[in-house]
Amino acid sequence: MGIYGDHVLPRLINVGCNTKVSREQRARVCEGLAGEVVEIGFGSGLNVPHYPGEVHRVAAVEPADIGWKLASKRIAETATPIERSGLDGQSLPFADDSFDAALSTWTMCTIPDIDAALRELRRVLKPGGTLHFVEHGLAPDEEVRRWQNRLNPVQNRLFGGCNLNRPTVDLLRGAGFEIDHVDVYYEKGSPKFLSAQTLGVARSG
Ligand SMILES: C[S@@+](CC[C@H](N)C(=O)[O-])C[C@H]1O[C@@H](n2cnc3c(N)ncnc32)[C@H](O)[C@@H]1O
């Protein structure tokens, strides 16, 4: 990816995605996680302080070495065992039916083949296992969507392949997940094209 993608961007994400507003959403999305958990796009471990005590172990999937390095203090400070177990959400190195739950926060926007990644999550989740997610994506309003579609090529170049306009719920349903519950809203303090959030829990049938 080059110096910007490998070194600068993970540091920008470590700071930019650690606001009070994002921490509140991290706390919400991690509620109810339990047992063996796989987190795709682990980044710098900003969700670690929010894992409930019922989580036995986390398999972290993250391509960026710098992200993993930045996570070391958070990993050292938690009682939850966390292991960097994979590099690519599109191809998970786990057996079928391995996990009770999965977690994805602001990662479905970036994985190039998101359909493949969701198929992989369904494969490695036990039947009835849950995917907890909060993702920015396609806005509920047509006018905002137009801006998202216009600005998407710029976002893509500046933020390592990040897309503004992915339809999170449609993608989940298309991959065979059932939606347990979902909340779609604009996050406070950011422009609408960036802040259309979809937070919820989907279930693998
Ligand atoms: C916007 S960041 C979010 C990081 C973290 N989930 C958080 O909430 O702070 C997107 C993350 O997806 C990771 N990523 C990119 N491509 C990926 C892939 N193919 N599989 C798994 N993670 C990927 C990036 O390295 C980055 O850490």
Side-chain angles (χ1 to χ4, degrees):
M1 251 186 130
I3 289 182
Y4 175 74
D6 290 341
H7 294 271
V8 180
L9 196 53
R11 290 184 167 89
L12 287 179
I13 292 168
N14 184 45
V15 175
C17 293
N18 194 16
T19 59
K20 181 170 178 282
V21 175
S22 68
R23 285 195 296 272
E24 285 164 4
Q25 293 168 93
R26 292 178 192 283
R28 273 181 76 194
V29 76
C30 288
E31 264 171 37
L33 283 172
E36 301 284 311
V37 174
V38 54
E39 178 169 356
I40 56 162
F42 179 81
S44 57
L46 292 170
N47 293 318
V48 172
H50 304 285
Y51 295 156
E54 291 78 9
V55 172
H56 297 158
R57 184 182 70 93
V58 173
V61 177
E62 173 54 53
D65 291 338
I66 294 290
W68 185 249
K69 246 188 177 164
L70 292 168
S72 58
K73 190 162 179 278
R74 296 181 185 105
I75 292 171
E77 285 172 354
T78 179
T80 309
I82 300 168
E83 199 174 328
R84 190 181 187 189
S85 309
L87 300 176
D88 184 0
Q90 300 161 124
S91 171
L92 296 174
F94 311 119
D96 297 358
D97 304 342
S98 304
F99 294 95
D100 300 293
L103 176 63
S104 171
T105 62
W106 300 295
T107 292
M108 284 172 56
C109 53
T110 300
I111 294 182
D113 188 345
I114 187 56
D115 294 323
L118 292 174
R119 276 197 304 275
E120 277 293 83
L121 283 177
R122 280 203 65 210
R123 180 182 69 74
V124 302
L125 278 171
K126 294 175 185 168
T130 51
L131 166 59
H132 293 229
F133 57 89
V134 57
E135 302 290 341
H136 71 87
L138 195 65
D141 301 297
E142 197 47 51
E143 178 59 22
V144 183
R145 287 181 179 199
R146 273 199 287 276
W147 276 106
Q148 291 181 313
N149 292 332
R150 270 180 217 139
L151 295 172
N152 200 50
V154 181
Q155 176 82 2
N156 224 279
R157 291 198 64 171
L158 287 181
F159 293 98
C162 173
N163 292 279
L164 291 170
N165 54 1
R166 285 194 171 164
T168 304
V169 168
D170 290 352
L171 288 168
L172 290 166
R173 288 207 172 109
F177 281 97
E178 286 168 18
I179 304 296
D180 253 23
H181 57 267
V182 67
D183 186 12
V184 179
Y185 55 94
Y186 292 106
E187 180 187 286
K188 283 183 212 142
S190 305
K192 282 189 167 176
F193 71 86
L194 252 186
S195 69
Q197 307 289 347
T198 305
L199 184 153
V201 174
R203 195 169 291 277
S204 177

